[in-house]
Amino acid sequence: MSPRIGKVTLEGILKAAAEIADTNGINEVTLASVANKLQIKTPSLYNHINGLSELRKKLSIYGMEQLYDTLIQATIGVAGDDAIRALGKAYITFARNHSGLYEATFINNGINDIELQKASDKIVELSIKVLCAYGLDDETALHATRGLRSIFHGFASLEQKGGFGLPLDIDVSFKLLIDTYLVGLNCTKRSLNGKHEVKESRKNI
């Protein structure tokens, strides 16, 4: 039996779209496929969304919110290197478990939209907060955040596209990548602390 229209919600639509994306790929998310999964007629979706473009935009935001919630849960009670490792593990696990939804978070890249930007900014701000433990200045923290995002997304995307063909443990490769990043980050931290100490010593001359 088809559910009544009143029982269909935007959250339910997005969950259905996310399941389709994870199972069949983001390109299979259409108004017809979502309506079919919810066992309703396609026009009923227009009570909640204004077409496929808005559906994909809201799915992108939904994906970023789900990713953010996953990442923030992973960083509770940890800091510094442990927090970055926890972020990395949570990020890759999310991308693996929700491949279509993860891909949806990037389909609206480049679009100047306040809602999309806010959802994206929350993830960036979380990364910056984690990096605060390294005493980086604002600009350096942004550069470091870009690097961290490049590592996470680059690795996740390559894995999804089957880019790792050699018979080597992918998790070991990812751990080595994060460890290498942390070596550089801690080196930058020591360098900045050294400069700060020199400035302080000069003040006392």
Side-chain angles (χ1 to χ4, degrees):
M1 180 181 295
S2 299
R4 291 178 297 174
I5 292 177
K7 289 185 176 292
V8 177
T9 64
L10 177 58
E11 183 178 2
I13 291 171
L14 294 177
K15 285 183 177 180
E19 289 176 11
I20 293 169
D22 288 341
T23 302
N24 302 317
I26 187 62
N27 291 330
E28 295 302 314
V29 176
T30 64
L31 296 180
S33 66
V34 172
N36 182 63
K37 187 170 184 63
L38 293 171
Q39 298 183 335
I40 60 175
K41 295 184 180 298
T42 300
S44 299
L45 294 173
Y46 284 89
N47 292 309
H48 304 279
I49 55 169
N50 186 26
L52 181 59
S53 178
E54 185 176 9
L55 171 61
R56 292 194 171 184
K57 169 192 162 180
K58 290 188 178 297
L59 183 61
S60 182
I61 293 171
Y62 177 75
M64 284 188 275
E65 289 174 343
Q66 294 297 306
L67 175 58
Y68 173 78
D69 289 343
T70 298
L71 296 179
I72 200 166
Q73 285 296 317
T75 58
I76 293 176
V78 291
D81 291 2
D82 289 339
I84 290 179
R85 290 192 178 97
L87 271 182
K89 181 179 180 180
Y91 193 105
I92 292 298
T93 300
F94 181 89
R96 288 171 175 171
N97 293 341
H98 305 285
S99 58
L101 183 58
Y102 176 71
E103 188 176 357
T105 65
F106 291 92
I107 61 177
N108 286 292
N109 269 4
I111 295 179
N112 187 17
D113 183 280
I114 293 177
E115 288 181 281
L116 287 166
Q117 193 60 53
K118 283 183 177 180
S120 177
D121 285 349
K122 286 177 66 177
I123 297 175
V124 173
E125 288 165 5
L126 174 59
S127 299
I128 292 174
K129 183 178 179 180
V130 169
L131 289 167
C132 282
Y134 296 88
L136 307 178
D137 58 72
D138 291 345
E139 183 174 331
T140 303
L142 288 174
H143 288 307
T145 299
R146 280 181 175 176
L148 198 59
R149 184 187 181 193
S150 298
I151 290 171
F152 292 169
H153 177 56
F155 198 95
S157 296
L158 282 169
E159 184 177 3
Q160 283 189 352
K161 302 301 181 183
F164 300 125
L166 295 176
L168 294 171
D169 191 320
I170 294 177
D171 290 331
V172 173
S173 296
F174 186 66
K175 180 180 183 302
L176 178 60
L177 183 58
I178 295 299
D179 287 347
T180 302
Y181 172 85
L182 288 173
V183 169
L185 188 61
N186 281 294
C187 181
T188 299
K189 176 184 177 180
R190 288 192 296 271
S191 176
L192 290 174
N193 287 341
K195 290 179 181 179
H196 178 72
E197 290 174 359
V198 169
K199 288 182 180 180
E200 287 299 314
S201 65
R202 286 176 178 175
K203 287 181 182 178
N204 296 324
I205 293 177

